[in-house]
Amino acid sequence: MTKNNQKILLSAASMTALLGVATAAYADGVSLNYERLSFFEEPLATEVGDVTLELRGTVDLPVSVQLEGDDREDYNFTGNFQVNAETQTANQLTLGAAYFGQYATEDTDDHYTDNVAGYVGGVWGTLIGGNVAGIVREETRRARGVGNAELAFDATYGTLDDLGGSYVGRYGPVVLSGTIDEDANVDVGFMFQRPLGNKDYRFTGRYSEGTYTSADGSTVFDTQAVGGVAEFVYGSSTFDLGVGYEDFASTAVDVDRWYVSTGAQTKLGVTSLSLEGHYGEVEGQEEVAASFGAAYDIARGLSVNLGVNYSYAPISVNGINFNDAQETKGIVSLRYSF
């Protein structure tokens, strides 16, 4: 038996054991949106025979300005949507399929990306197959910033291959999630969330494997990472802290990375604000990021959004251009969600 096949069997056994300890769970709606623009509104829904169809989407018209260098302005467009189709069998299983698509223009580059998956759910949770690389990340991540805020480096560098299988199940206040991709890399996490008095507490943990290609494209690293998030919600304000460690291995060099990210956001009437910061080190070299975001709600689903994002990580290891991010960008946009 090859080493890769052994890894697949061990990973599958781990997922089976995760299912075996289940006592109560439920099938939840499956989201394939791993992008910056989240869906906030309730989906539009209709019935076609025994099938429920749901549609949600977002249209964003951003103007971005490079605040360093040539002060170039870019006028772009981003639109995304997700369609879900679900039905229920006589034995109470939920069968469904989801399709997510996003069209975006950036400078002179137009591109369309999509994710598709099928799923089956019951009292034991939901099994999902397809483009599921971001499932665990979305279950365990820090809260996204408001408006056009996007904190750089606030994640593992390593990622799974696009295709794979996932499991998500809720057990009281705990959500367990796991993914295995076609190369037998795994991504597993948990989330615990419970209110206490007039406050809400959320804790997550994650272990992931994947690959990362250096910024110059010369080296591919195998990665292993662990991380955690602590979140505190009081009224309309959210405060959170994330920490992580990542190991990179290649035939050329091995690299270590650690990081800490923190943020706060609040809502004041129709205005939402967020402020976030990040600090990390890769082999003793700094990666720094900060973001400020704001959103003003005009009407249901319609808002004006602002973001100022800073990132700095000119990192070189053994002659390899590991990361070359150096940017300060301001973005304002008119956004409609449905």
Side-chain angles (χ1 to χ4, degrees):
M1 181 180 295
T2 66
K3 183 177 180 181
N4 197 51
N5 287 337
Q6 289 176 336
K7 189 176 181 183
I8 292 174
L9 289 175
L10 288 172
S11 300
S14 298
M15 296 287 283
T16 303
L18 184 66
L19 290 170
V21 301
T23 56
Y26 67 94
D28 204 357
V30 171
S31 175
L32 301 180
N33 182 4
Y34 315 135
E35 304 296 336
R36 178 180 60 85
L37 298 182
S38 299
F39 301 129
F40 292 107
E41 299 297 323
E42 290 296 320
L44 304 175
T46 187
E47 298 283 342
V48 179
D50 293 331
V51 178
T52 300
L53 297 177
E54 294 183 345
L55 171 66
R56 57 180 65 193
T58 300
V59 176
D60 195 51
L61 301 173
V63 178
S64 61
V65 180
Q66 297 286 348
L67 301 179
E68 294 179 346
D70 58 6
D71 294 330
R72 186 182 75 252
E73 295 182 4
D74 294 317
Y75 299 85
N76 298 306
F77 168 86
T78 302
N80 62 24
F81 69 95
Q82 179 164 318
V83 178
N84 284 61
E86 286 189 358
T87 190
Q88 195 168 58
T89 66
N91 59 352
Q92 303 302 306
L93 290 179
T94 298
L95 302 178
Y99 180 84
F100 170 84
Q102 176 167 290
Y103 175 78
T105 65
E106 187 173 350
D107 299 332
T108 59
D109 180 31
D110 299 355
H111 55 273
Y112 181 81
T113 57
D114 59 359
N115 297 319
V116 62
Y119 54 94
V120 55
V123 295
W124 35 263
T126 304
L127 291 172
I128 314 161
N131 304 127
V132 294
I135 291 285
V136 177
R137 158 75 169 152
E138 293 301 312
E139 291 288 339
T140 58
R141 63 170 295 153
R142 289 182 52 253
R144 281 185 172 86
V146 168
N148 285 311
E150 186 173 10
L151 186 66
F153 318 130
D154 186 27
T156 60
Y157 283 17
T159 58
L160 275 70
D161 282 343
D162 202 29
L163 289 175
S166 285
Y167 167 78
V168 180
R170 176 176 290 278
Y171 304 82
V174 176
V175 174
L176 300 178
S177 55
T179 297
I180 179 171
D181 71 10
E182 56 188 339
D183 288 333
N185 293 311
V186 298
D187 193 0
V188 293
F190 77 89
M191 186 270 288
F192 174 89
Q193 185 172 18
R194 172 165 286 180
L196 184 61
N198 59 355
K199 304 175 183 64
D200 187 82
Y201 299 88
R202 175 175 171 264
F203 302 95
T204 74
R206 180 186 178 202
Y207 167 79
S208 64
E209 301 170 347
T211 58
Y212 171 70
T213 302
S214 60
D216 60 12
S218 66
T219 308
V220 177
F221 295 89
D222 292 322
T223 67
Q224 291 183 304
V226 293
V229 170
E231 180 183 275
F232 169 71
V233 180
Y234 179 69
S236 298
S237 299
T238 300
F239 309 88
D240 58 19
L241 175 72
V243 296
Y245 171 81
E246 192 166 12
D247 176 76
F248 302 80
S250 73
T251 56
V253 64
D254 292 344
V255 178
D256 290 329
R257 171 185 181 241
W258 65 267
Y259 64 89
V260 57
S261 301
T262 187
Q265 55 184 268
T266 191
K267 187 171 181 64
L268 305 170
V270 295
T271 302
S272 301
L273 302 168
S274 69
L275 184 64
E276 302 170 275
H278 171 97
Y279 180 83
E281 290 188 1
V282 179
E283 292 296 308
Q285 300 175 63
E286 293 183 336
E287 58 174 33
V288 181
S291 68
F292 168 76
Y296 181 82
D297 299 327
I298 300 173
R300 179 179 174 85
L302 184 65
S303 61
V304 175
N305 297 269
L306 172 71
V308 179
N309 302 306
Y310 168 79
S311 60
Y312 179 83
I315 297 170
S316 179
V317 181
N318 279 20
I320 299 170
N321 187 4
F322 189 82
N323 195 348
D324 60 1
Q326 296 185 66
E327 183 179 63
T328 303
K329 180 184 286 189
I331 308 172
V332 61
S333 69
L334 181 66
R335 184 176 303 164
Y336 178 68
S337 298
F338 60 90

